[in-house]
Amino acid sequence: MIRVCSTEDVPKGTAISADVDGTEIAVVHGEDGNFYAVHDECSHAAVALSEGEVEGCTLECWLHGSRFDLRTGEPTGLPATEPVPVYPVEVRDGDIYVSLTPSNGVTR
Ligand code: FES
């Protein structure tokens, strides 16, 4: 697990982007209170998901509006049809750690 940032860097309902050992990751604080990490690129086109809106435990792509479930990486609506990689997250002592091995088996 690699330390990415402090939990205070990601207020509830927001997302930030982070470079973790050369992998762009969107770290998201879901409205359910949990932290999530997904690859910071939409599976539909090369835009940053971290710039989209957080709703519940989904992250919406700002370009065409596909919403990705942060637990599974699956899009819940078109135009994206492919899931994005989801990275395991751990919170320890107020810091967020991620693993770069996707938990949903999706590689980029
Ligand atoms: S680029 Fe994300 S839905 Fe089209």
Side-chain angles (χ1 to χ4, degrees):
M1 288 271 187
I2 303 163
R3 183 190 176 277
V4 181
C5 58
S6 154
T7 53
E8 289 174 6
D9 296 331
V10 198
K12 200 169 179 177
T14 67
I16 62 161
S17 100
D19 182 311
V20 180
D21 277 359
T23 300
E24 291 297 326
I25 285 186
V27 180
V28 186
H29 193 168
E31 289 177 332
D32 61 356
N34 292 318
F35 290 92
Y36 299 96
V38 295
H39 183 51
D40 194 10
E41 187 177 280
C42 186
S43 64
H44 182 237
V47 303
L49 289 175
S50 57
E51 287 167 24
E53 293 286 312
V54 178
E55 195 180 294
C57 46
T58 66
L59 182 57
E60 185 182 67
C61 176
W62 58 269
L63 190 55
H64 306 121
S66 275
R67 206 177 277 285
F68 292 88
D69 189 313
L70 295 163
R71 297 161 296 195
T72 62
E74 295 286 342
T76 62
L78 294 170
T81 54
E82 299 291 323
V84 292
V86 176
Y87 302 106
V89 175
E90 229 175 80
V91 177
R92 267 184 261 148
D93 298 330
D95 289 322
I96 298 172
Y97 294 79
V98 302
S99 156
L100 290 178
T101 306
S103 58
N104 61 347
V106 177
T107 48
R108 7 176 218 135

